[in-house]
Amino acid sequence: MLFFKIFHRSYIPTLFEGFDISVNRDTNIIVNRHFSFRQPQPYSNCVEDIGSYNSAFSHVFVDNNIKYSQSFCYNYCFQRVLAERCGCYDTSFTLMKFVDRPCTSFRDFTCLLSEYEIFARENIVSNCSIDW
């Protein structure tokens, strides 16, 4: 199996995005590009300038010229879970390290996969409050 992701250069893909492709088989892939924009307050709960917040989370976007996305928030939340429960960070997403040790051992990967299954099964929206 191959794992496949396509993303815009200003977007950081997460472990929650992409799909598997079987090897030695014909595979057709159709790609669409979609943009959506939300109006800032008072028309929604969105803010126009994420840099107006002074927090570690908002600085990740500003300092790395990354556009905010919901999946990025979920990955941020998952990295916090890994740090707390496994004591390591996922090396595929290095912008936010809550601990200094990457997940590299068999024990780390076992913990990472176990926590990912739990994270995906639970209501991740309610468990991912972010201090702006």
Side-chain angles (χ1 to χ4, degrees):
M1 286 289 205
L2 297 173
F3 191 72
F4 189 72
K5 294 181 184 186
I6 297 176
F7 54 93
H8 189 272
R9 68 175 178 254
S10 68
Y11 181 76
I12 303 295
T14 65
L15 4 128
F16 309 108
E17 300 166 309
F19 51 93
D20 293 322
I21 299 174
S22 297
V23 294
N24 295 327
R25 295 186 182 252
D26 288 342
T27 303
N28 294 319
I29 299 172
I30 297 172
V31 178
N32 275 329
R33 189 171 177 178
H34 174 78
F35 292 98
S36 61
F37 301 94
R38 293 196 177 179
Q39 295 294 318
Q41 295 176 343
Y43 304 105
S44 73
N45 290 330
C46 297
V47 293
E48 192 164 3
D49 179 18
I50 196 167
S52 64
Y53 290 101
N54 188 18
S55 70
F57 181 66
S58 65
H59 282 287
V60 171
F61 294 99
V62 175
D63 296 346
N64 295 288
N65 196 27
I66 299 169
K67 294 187 179 184
Y68 170 84
S69 70
Q70 187 178 45
S71 61
F72 191 93
C73 285
Y74 292 153
N75 203 343
Y76 176 89
C77 182
F78 184 64
Q79 290 293 341
R80 284 192 328 200
V81 168
L82 283 180
E84 292 169 9
R85 298 182 185 163
C86 300
C88 60
Y89 68 89
D90 178 8
T91 57
S92 68
F93 193 74
T94 59
L95 290 177
M96 291 175 284
K97 299 176 189 173
F98 296 100
V99 292
D100 291 330
R101 193 175 67 78
C103 297
T104 55
S105 71
F106 180 76
R107 182 173 178 238
D108 291 340
F109 287 117
T110 303
C111 183
L112 185 149
L113 290 174
S114 173
E115 291 304 326
Y116 176 73
E117 287 177 14
I118 294 167
F119 190 79
R121 233 186 359 251
E122 292 177 356
N123 183 355
I124 57 178
V125 175
S126 64
N127 293 326
C128 288
S129 62
I130 293 172
D131 298 326
W132 286 94

